[in-house]
């Protein structure tokens, strides 16, 4: 029954984190970490 279902599409948000992790460049910026740091600072104010 399930073997006839098509493969579901990847989640676009989760796919970004996988693409970031697989990117070999050393000058990339993890915007998720930047966002978390900004949110943490705002909570401390």
């Amino acid at each position: 029954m399930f073997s006839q279902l098509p493969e579901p599409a990847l989640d676009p948000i989760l796919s970004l984190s996988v693409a970031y992790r697989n990117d070999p460049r050393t000058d990339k910026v993890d915007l998720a970490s930047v966002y978390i740091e900004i949110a943490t600072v705002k909570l401390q104010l």
Side-chain angles (χ1 to χ4, degrees):
M1 180 167 111
F2 291 113
S3 63
Q4 296 177 0
L5 292 175
E7 181 99 13
L10 295 175
D11 182 281
I13 301 297
L14 295 177
S15 297
L16 285 175
S17 64
V18 172
Y20 174 83
R21 191 178 14 184
N22 293 335
D23 186 349
R25 294 178 291 174
T26 57
D27 61 343
K28 61 188 177 184
V29 176
D30 184 0
L31 295 178
S33 296
V34 172
Y35 176 77
I36 291 170
E37 288 180 30
I38 290 171
T40 303
V41 169
K42 284 185 178 182
L43 286 175
Q44 293 174 356
L45 295 177

